[in-house]
Amino acid sequence: MSKPEPPQPSQLLRERMHYRGHKFDFRVQTLQFPNGTSGEREYVTHPGGVVVVPVTADGKFICIWQYRFAIGRYIYEFPAGTVEPNEPPAETAKRELAEETGYSAKIWDDLGQFFLAPGYSDEVMYVYLARDLEILDRPPAGDEDEDIEVVLKSEPELADDILMSPDADAKTIACFLRARQILRQSS
């Protein structure tokens, strides 16, 4: 089945920076829509993020239990972080795995990418599966404001903790499902 032909895109009439932040910017665009009307749309511009799905030799998933200030609570997540300027996403993945978990990996599988929340952000998430893990003797220091604990979970435990509870975010759920599919195909 082929995809339907997309409608004509909106025409950009004007764009302004509303806020420039440390990790993202907030922009406002004035658009003319295909139906002839016009209006403003706000969105977040983001350099992109990386999610690493680390899996141990015995099939345990390495997660972090992390405090997130925007929701005021802890949730389960896979190691993740923002792509730094001029840093390839694969390097971001290696850095975040080491900083947030104290592990490195010998085998890296690129699991693709997806838009995180295209209704209000242009952020792209790059996903990597990390295997053949080693504990680092001296892991690099992560961000000083992060409050995280490393947790190992079996596939059924992790599925229970993230798929049917409020204790995870959308990127972790999506990446778990994507990685689980790849792992099942390769076993």
Side-chain angles (χ1 to χ4, degrees):
M1 177 182 236
S2 64
K3 293 180 183 178
E5 190 65 33
Q8 289 293 321
S10 300
Q11 181 182 3
L12 177 63
L13 302 175
R14 185 178 58 168
E15 182 173 48
R16 72 182 195 278
M17 175 74 68
H18 184 72
Y19 172 80
R20 183 173 300 280
H22 175 67
K23 293 268 186 181
F24 62 86
D25 297 333
F26 187 75
R27 296 178 178 266
V28 180
Q29 290 183 338
T30 304
L31 302 166
Q32 182 169 358
F33 304 113
N35 68 3
T37 63
S38 61
E40 287 191 341
R41 296 292 184 263
E42 303 89 11
Y43 71 103
V44 173
T45 61
H46 192 283
V50 167
V51 181
V52 180
V53 182
V55 181
T56 64
D58 63 349
K60 297 248 174 122
F61 288 82
I62 299 176
C63 297
I64 56 175
W65 180 242
Q66 181 167 11
Y67 182 78
R68 290 300 192 174
F69 77 92
I71 59 172
R73 55 185 288 213
Y74 287 85
I75 59 173
Y76 287 109
E77 296 183 57
F78 287 122
T82 301
V83 176
E84 297 296 334
N86 302 313
E87 182 180 45
E91 292 304 311
T92 306
K94 292 173 185 174
R95 176 176 51 78
E96 290 294 337
L97 178 64
E99 288 176 2
E100 293 190 352
T101 69
Y103 284 84
S104 66
K106 290 182 182 174
I107 300 173
W108 290 89
D109 297 300
D110 184 340
L111 300 185
Q113 60 194 53
F114 60 88
F115 291 105
L116 186 61
Y120 65 84
S121 175
D122 67 355
E123 182 176 4
V124 174
M125 298 300 301
Y126 301 91
V127 187
Y128 295 91
L129 177 63
R131 295 183 283 177
D132 199 0
L133 304 175
E134 294 179 340
I135 296 176
L136 297 170
D137 291 333
R138 293 184 184 180
D143 297 336
E144 56 191 48
D145 63 339
E146 290 180 320
D147 183 5
I148 60 177
E149 177 184 337
V150 176
V151 180
L152 277 73
K153 294 199 168 276
S154 68
E155 181 184 320
E157 289 172 328
L158 185 57
D160 286 347
D161 286 341
I162 68 171
L163 295 179
M164 300 306 290
S165 81
D167 292 336
D169 63 342
K171 74 178 179 349
T172 300
I173 294 167
C175 294
F176 171 70
L177 294 173
R178 194 173 275 197
R180 184 170 70 173
Q181 186 69 21
I182 297 298
L183 291 166
R184 287 180 176 175
Q185 289 173 355
S186 65
S187 60

